[in-house]
Amino acid sequence: MKVLVVGSGGREHALVWKIANSSRFTTHGSRIFCAPGNAGIAQIAECVDIKAEDISGLLEFAKKEGIDLTVVGPEGPLTLGIVDDFEKAGLRIFGASKRAAEIEWSKAFSKSLMKKYAIPTAGYEVFTDRERAVSYLKEKGAPIVVKASGLAAGKGVIVATTLNEAVSAVDLIMRDKAFGPAGDELIIEEFLEGEEVSLLAFTDGKTVLPMPSAQDHKRVFDNDEGPNTGGMGVYSPAPVLTKALLDTVMKEIMIPAVKGMASEGRPYKGILYAGLIITGNGPKVLEFNARFGDPETQPLMMRMKTDILEVMEAVIDERLYGIKIEWDDRASVCVVMAAGGYPGDYRKGDEIIGLDDAAGMDEVTVFHAGTALKDSKIVTNGGRVLGVTASGSDIREAVKEAYRAVSKITWNGVHYRKDIGRRAITPAK
Ligand code: AMP
Ligand code: GLY
């Protein structure tokens, strides 16, 4: 079998690692490719120098190489319609179609879907006009949340604590176009309070099979301080999502979303990722994503026992109802090691020391994100550099093991949070 994974982050390293462990890869002639990949992925797959958003380049490669299955990591290619183009060419691909992925690339669409199908989310209005947005803000007051409707790499959301801040956010998004055309339309929504948790599920458009819960840490510094990032660490499971709450989320959010998309003529296949907040009035959706999370995927792949290719093929063939996914009961924790300065400007090209020591630990896998090979040394090549991921009998043990591995690794200017998982160990008062 020949598989192509599209992307170059820690999420893609975890996917390639899990796919490489599939029993299918014992057969002669099996190969895994990753486009464009990174230095860690290159140790277990063949990296191909084609960018994740170069859809025609990827299509040409998949045809020429006779790829049996393509797996898409990031939202960029989904938004550009990679799934539609591959399917048109008769190729098998795992991911959401362009119209299904609109649940992620347009917050205005995603909010209207939730409204229409009564999926619990923050109350909101959509604006294309600055003056109307500002008068709405004045009517509602702060705290309030202002969001660019389009894709903004997790940065287009401003939680404003004062009216002035909210008005500045509207100007930043609409007038200054800080997020480009993503800000032609904006959402103003009610501020919600509660603990956040991610729930990802495989779906073939009919059956929805959830993965275990996971909790990301979005802010760059300890105690959730500093600017938002792509994610600085994750633990799974997240105790805040109890069995009872999971049942509610499946019944009120995940299943209605997949059914709603079908009713809208947008059959949803691939991964549905709900960013949730557990409020005093129950779980509500902050956002939907149409892909695996990064870094959520790193601990989730460590916990997944079932062959992922079986599940992906069942999604494509719409026979997920016959599949049961087994998960390791133990906990898993991923600590992201980032380049100093991230999420702002950061250095590249620093040699990473201690990778082999950490990777040699039994319960640890070091997933690479922004790394490259230079003069036969592994060097930093991105903001988030590594996702050091460990298993343990519970979160406390997994955290201990992950940080033991982190302590073996270093480079010039390395930065990471020291409190990943702490909330799950000492519940917030
Ligand atoms: P989003 O990209 O929409 O998930 O938003 C990014 C982050 O902003 C979330 O993880 C929350 O921490 C925060 N956020 C978004 N929407 C709200 C809201 N309605 N109330 C409070 N915080 C929010
Ligand atoms: N970890 C957040 C995301 O993947 O969007």
Side-chain angles (χ1 to χ4, degrees):
M1 184 173 193
K2 286 187 183 174
V3 176
L4 168 65
V5 175
V6 177
S8 60
R11 161 183 53 209
E12 287 76 22
H13 191 182
L15 289 171
V16 167
W17 172 84
K18 181 69 189 154
I19 291 168
N21 284 326
S22 164
S23 55
R24 314 266 186 110
F25 281 91
T26 50
T27 57
H28 187 69
S30 288
R31 291 165 79 182
I32 311 183
F33 300 90
C34 186
N38 60 38
I41 294 174
Q43 294 170 349
I44 52 173
E46 299 171 53
C47 290
V48 191
D49 190 17
I50 306 173
K51 291 206 167 59
E53 303 204 348
D54 177 3
I55 310 298
S56 55
L58 291 168
L59 187 57
E60 198 184 313
F61 173 79
K63 280 191 200 156
K64 189 188 78 199
E65 200 55 65
I67 298 291
D68 300 297
L69 173 68
T70 299
V71 176
V72 188
E75 63 276 18
L78 296 175
T79 304
L80 291 169
I82 188 173
V83 170
D84 311 67
D85 288 358
F86 270 55
E87 283 178 349
K88 243 179 262 154
L91 294 170
R92 287 167 74 74
I93 183 161
F94 179 86
S97 69
K98 179 172 182 165
R99 274 165 56 76
E102 191 163 357
I103 206 165
E104 170 164 6
W105 59 260
S106 166
K107 287 192 189 282
F109 169 74
S110 150
K111 294 294 280 191
S112 72
L113 180 91
M114 289 188 259
K115 194 182 238 176
K116 186 163 174 188
Y117 295 95
I119 296 170
T121 188
Y124 75 103
E125 289 289 334
V126 180
F127 297 92
T128 49
D129 176 77
R130 179 195 180 269
E131 300 317 314
R132 288 196 43 232
V134 170
S135 62
Y136 180 79
L137 284 177
K138 287 187 176 147
E139 181 194 320
K140 292 285 174 182
I144 198 153
V145 183
V146 182
K147 302 184 174 185
S149 179
L151 289 179
K155 294 179 189 136
V157 174
I158 294 138
V159 179
T161 49
T162 65
L163 189 58
N164 275 346
E165 250 181 83
V167 174
S168 309
V170 168
D171 285 338
L172 186 76
I173 293 173
M174 244 179 195
R175 193 190 59 199
D176 308 345
K177 290 272 182 271
F179 311 105
D184 290 348
E185 205 172 33
L186 65 74
I187 312 284
I188 299 180
E189 68 175 39
E190 170 199 3
F191 171 78
L192 299 174
E193 265 186 289
E195 196 167 330
E196 291 180 43
V197 60
S198 305
L199 187 71
L200 286 78
F202 290 94
T203 178
D204 60 359
K206 295 182 285 248
T207 302
V208 185
L209 290 185
M211 303 183 209
S213 58
Q215 182 140 336
D216 195 0
H217 298 63
K218 289 211 165 109
R219 304 298 192 100
V220 69
F221 299 126
D222 287 12
N223 301 316
D224 294 328
E225 284 172 16
N228 267 331
T229 66
M232 294 299 289
V234 171
Y235 56 86
S236 172
V240 64
L241 199 70
T242 58
K243 174 77 178 72
L245 277 173
L246 172 64
D247 289 347
T248 307
V249 169
M250 289 303 290
K251 210 167 83 206
E252 294 184 0
I253 294 171
M254 304 301 275
I255 293 167
V258 169
K259 278 198 178 149
M261 290 297 277
S263 309
E264 296 298 303
R266 298 166 185 258
Y268 197 103
K269 287 166 78 167
I271 300 294
L272 180 65
Y273 162 159
L276 304 166
I277 186 159
I278 311 301
T279 74
N281 291 324
K284 297 195 181 192
V285 177
L286 291 178
E287 64 168 350
F288 281 120
N289 294 317
R291 51 170 174 83
F292 285 100
D294 189 344
E296 287 88 337
T297 304
Q298 289 82 314
L300 289 172
M301 288 303 108
M302 295 253 314
R303 294 190 61 198
M304 187 171 184
K305 295 210 284 204
T306 306
D307 185 335
I308 195 168
L309 289 180
E310 304 279 341
V311 182
M312 288 178 163
E313 304 244 51
V315 165
I316 294 174
D317 298 332
E318 296 175 27
R319 48 176 178 76
L320 204 53
Y321 62 88
I323 298 282
K324 188 169 180 316
I325 309 179
E326 308 268 357
W327 301 93
D328 189 345
D329 287 336
R330 294 181 309 158
S332 178
V333 169
C334 170
V335 177
V336 170
M337 299 181 78
Y342 174 80
D345 288 341
Y346 52 81
R347 287 157 57 107
K348 283 187 183 179
D350 289 305
E351 183 182 355
I352 305 173
I353 316 286
L355 278 170
D356 289 343
D357 271 0
M361 291 170 60
D362 280 350
E363 300 291 353
V364 172
T365 305
V366 179
F367 294 115
H368 290 219
T371 67
L373 197 62
K374 198 173 138 204
D375 305 329
S376 58
K377 289 184 177 122
I378 294 182
V379 300
T380 64
N381 192 41
R384 291 190 291 173
V385 176
L386 301 172
V388 178
T389 312
S391 304
S393 52
D394 56 16
I395 304 249
R396 185 187 299 273
E397 287 301 315
V399 163
K400 214 162 76 188
E401 209 53 14
Y403 279 108
R404 209 156 67 80
V406 163
S407 72
K408 296 178 189 285
I409 302 175
T410 192
W411 66 82
N412 208 344
V414 59
H415 164 73
Y416 55 90
R417 278 181 64 157
K418 316 278 188 300
D419 65 345
I420 302 302
R422 192 184 293 161
R423 190 180 292 127
I425 300 171
T426 345
K429 294 269 155 28

